[in-house]
Amino acid sequence: MKCPNCGEGMPEGALYCECCGEDIHIVPDFEPELERNMEQTISGILEELHEEMPGSQENVWDEWEEELPQNEDGFEYEEPRRRKRIWPKVLLVLGILTLLGAGSTAWYLYCYQSEEYQVNKALQYVGQGRYDEAIACYNRALELEGDNVELVFNLAEVYLLKNNKVEYEYLLREIVKNENATTEQLDAAYGKLIAIYRDRGDYQTINTLLLASDNESLLNNYQSYIARVPEFSVNEGYYTSIQPLKLSAAGTGKIYYTTDGTQPTEASTQYTAPIILENGDYVITAYFVNDRGIASEVVSKEYHIENKEIPPPEINALSGDYYFPMNIEVADDEGEVYYTTDGSDPTYDSILYTGPIPMPLGRSNYKFARIEGGVTGTVVERNYYLVMNTDYTPAQAVDSVIEYSMNIGKIYDAEGHFDESGDSYQYQYLYVTNINRVDDFYVIVEVYRTADGNLTRTGNNFAVNAYTGKLLKLQRDDKGRFVLSDTEENENSWEEE
C-alpha cells in the first residue's frame, strides 16, 4: 500500500503516512448492486466489439475484398465501410466509461460527505471486527457533524473494544467538557470515568473530576468521593481581640492544620477544637481527608491579632482549709464572670456568677474567668476544704425538719407522703452559712415531689443551728433579705448579712 500523497510505502490498514503525516481516508465501497450492473454493462459492450472486429490482418483484407467494387485496373481503395461501423461503438464505450467514472466519483463524493453512510459503514466494520476502519468512519462522521455527542460515545466504545483505554478515557473527558451534552450523556460519561478511576484506586482523580463540575445532582450522587477544602469560621485579617477559629468540612473525615504557614500532612496537628488566636501573626494552613483517604486542596488564611488583656477576676477567698462557713465572692464587677466546680475551664455554658457563693462542706474546686466577645480571659482556680467544728451534721438537720413536718401533720411518714396520691414533700440540705454573724446554720429547703419524679421548690426554707440543732424558719422580707423566725411563732429575727 502506497501513500496517495507522497507515494511512500505504508502498512495495510494504516490511518496516516509515517513519512509525510497525511491522513489516509478510506474510500467508500460501491454498493454491490451498482458495481454488478457496471461490470455487466462494460462486459456486454466489450463482447459485442470483440465479435465484430476482425480476428487477423488477412481476414480484414478478405472481408474488404468481398465488399469493395472492382474495375479493370484492380481494386479501388476506398475507406472501408466496416471500419466506419466500429468507431461509433468505440466512442460509445468511451462515453460509457466516462459516465461510469463520473458516477463513481459522484458516488464517492456522496458517501464521503454523508454522515449517515459513514456511521452505517462504521457499524458494519465493528460487526466484522475491523475496528481501525470503524474508527476512521466515525472520525469522518464527526468531521461532518462535530457536535454529535452520541458519535463520540460510539467512537469511545470502539477504542474500548480495541483495548485502547487511553483514547477511551480521553473521549469520555471530552464529553464531560462538551456544552452540548445532555444531562443523561453527562451522567453516563461521569459514571464511566469514575468506574475507570475506582478500578485503579485513583480516588484523588475522581475528587478532582467532580469538583470541576457544577452539576449539583452529580455532586450529591458521588458525595463520598469528594473532599472539599475546610471552611474557616473567621475571615482572615486584622483583629483587636482573641479569636477562636473553628474549622469545618463537608462529610466525615479529618482536618489537619499548621499555624506557621507550612504545608500540613497527616503527621500535622489534627483539628479537634477551636484554635485560639491570641496576640501575634498566624498563617493557618489546613486540608481535609475524608474517610476514603481522598485529600482536599490546601487552603491558607492569615491573621494579625492585637488584643487587650482580659484581667482575671479577683476572688476574696484564697485556697486552703476552713473551719467555719465562708462565702466565696468576686471582688470586682468588671464584665461577666463564669465559674465551674468540676475542674473544667469556664465557658458560656458554665454558671454565671450573680452573687456570693456559700463554700460547700468538704473538698471543692472552683475555676473563675471573664468571658468577653467569646474570648475567655485568664482562669483563676481555687481549692477549698471546709470542716465544721461541730458534731451536728447536715443529715441530722434534715431529720429534724422531717420530724417537725410530721409533728404538725403536714406529712405522715419519713418519706414525706401526705395522702395516697404518691406525691410527697422532700427536704434537702443546700449549704451552711453564717446569719447576721450570730451563728452558723444549715439551710434546708422543702421540695414538692410528684409521683412521677418531678421536683419543685415550695418556697419553704429552714435554718438549723449547726451547733445546737435549733430549728428556725428562713424567710425573706419585703426587701428580699433573709429573716429567721421561730417555729413556735416566737418573734426572733435576724438579717443575713
Side-chain angles (χ1 to χ4, degrees), residues 386-402:
L386 173 59
V387 179
M388 290 296 293
N389 204 3
T390 177
D391 293 332
Y392 194 75
T393 66
Q396 290 173 312
V398 170
D399 290 341
S400 68
V401 176
I402 293 174

Side-chain angles (χ1 to χ4, degrees), residues 387-452:
V387 179
M388 290 296 293
N389 204 3
T390 177
D391 293 332
Y392 194 75
T393 66
Q396 290 173 312
V398 170
D399 290 341
S400 68
V401 176
I402 293 174
E403 183 180 358
Y404 165 76
S405 296
M406 292 177 64
N407 289 338
I408 65 174
K410 189 169 186 176
I411 59 176
Y412 63 77
D413 60 20
E415 285 72 34
H417 297 108
F418 55 88
D419 59 19
E420 302 301 322
S421 66
D423 295 354
S424 61
Y425 289 104
Q426 304 289 306
Y427 299 94
Q428 299 176 353
Y429 164 76
L430 281 188
Y431 52 79
V432 60
T433 187
N434 183 274
I435 298 177
N436 200 30
R437 296 183 182 177
V438 172
D439 225 336
D440 303 327
F441 294 87
Y442 296 125
V443 176
I444 312 297
V445 297
E446 182 181 72
V447 177
Y448 187 87
R449 185 182 188 280
T450 61
D452 56 6

Side-chain angles (χ1 to χ4, degrees), residues 47-324:
E47 288 177 2
E48 184 177 347
L49 287 174
H50 179 72
E51 291 174 357
E52 295 183 2
M53 291 186 67
S56 66
Q57 187 65 33
E58 292 180 356
N59 291 337
V60 171
W61 288 108
D62 290 342
E63 291 178 2
W64 284 354
E65 288 177 351
E66 293 174 1
E67 295 181 4
L68 289 177
Q70 296 180 359
N71 55 27
E72 58 184 12
D73 295 326
F75 290 103
E76 179 79 21
Y77 289 97
E78 298 178 357
E79 185 70 22
R81 284 175 286 178
R82 190 168 186 83
R83 183 178 295 177
K84 291 181 180 179
R85 291 201 308 268
I86 292 175
W87 276 108
K89 293 185 178 182
V90 171
L91 293 175
L92 176 62
V93 171
L94 293 175
I96 291 174
L97 290 175
T98 301
L99 289 175
L100 289 175
S104 300
T105 302
W107 176 252
Y108 167 78
L109 292 175
Y110 162 74
C111 294
Y112 189 66
Q113 297 297 329
S114 171
E115 180 264 341
E116 181 181 1
Y117 176 86
Q118 295 293 332
V119 172
N120 289 335
K121 291 301 293 182
L123 293 174
Q124 292 178 18
Y125 287 139
V126 170
Q128 298 166 5
R130 298 163 63 183
Y131 300 129
D132 288 335
E133 289 92 334
I135 289 171
C137 288
Y138 275 129
N139 280 326
R140 177 56 189 161
L142 284 169
E143 290 177 7
L144 297 172
E145 191 174 353
D147 60 349
N148 191 326
V149 179
E150 201 60 38
L151 289 180
V152 182
F153 262 119
N154 293 343
L155 179 58
E157 292 300 325
V158 177
Y159 275 113
L160 184 61
L161 290 173
K162 281 193 64 179
N163 201 31
N164 188 337
K165 296 181 180 179
V166 174
E167 286 294 332
Y168 176 66
E169 178 184 339
Y170 168 78
L171 290 172
L172 291 176
R173 279 187 170 273
E174 289 297 303
I175 293 173
V176 301
K177 294 187 293 185
N178 194 317
E179 296 179 353
N180 297 318
T182 65
T183 301
E184 292 75 12
Q185 290 170 334
L186 287 175
D187 289 344
Y190 274 109
K192 292 176 184 296
L193 282 171
I194 289 172
I196 292 173
Y197 301 132
R198 184 175 54 226
D199 290 344
R200 296 179 191 166
D202 187 2
Y203 297 109
Q204 200 64 48
T205 299
I206 297 176
N207 175 63
T208 304
L209 177 71
L210 292 173
L211 289 180
S213 170
D214 57 358
N215 187 325
E216 289 300 326
S217 175
L218 180 74
L219 296 177
N220 290 333
N221 290 339
Y222 295 101
Q223 184 65 45
S224 62
Y225 293 99
I226 299 175
R228 300 182 186 273
V229 296
E231 295 183 1
F232 288 54
S233 65
V234 180
N235 293 329
E236 62 182 347
Y238 173 82
Y239 292 89
T240 57
S241 61
I242 295 175
Q243 298 297 314
L245 173 62
K246 297 179 181 179
L247 304 180
S248 60
T252 57
K254 298 176 181 178
I255 298 174
Y256 299 93
Y257 72 95
T258 60
T259 58
D260 57 1
T262 58
Q263 286 291 105
T265 67
E266 293 190 25
S268 302
T269 304
Q270 180 184 341
Y271 175 83
T272 56
I275 306 167
I276 305 301
L277 305 179
E278 300 179 325
N279 282 326
D281 294 314
Y282 299 87
V283 180
I284 307 300
T285 307
Y287 78 113
F288 172 68
V289 181
N290 71 8
D291 288 342
R292 288 183 179 271
I294 302 172
S296 74
E297 294 182 356
V298 176
V299 60
S300 292
K301 293 187 182 296
E302 298 183 11
Y303 302 91
H304 177 73
I305 311 296
E306 289 184 12
N307 69 290
K308 63 178 183 180
E309 294 292 336
I310 300 176
E314 297 181 14
I315 309 302
N316 68 324
L318 299 177
S319 296
D321 297 344
Y322 291 83
Y323 301 96
F324 52 84

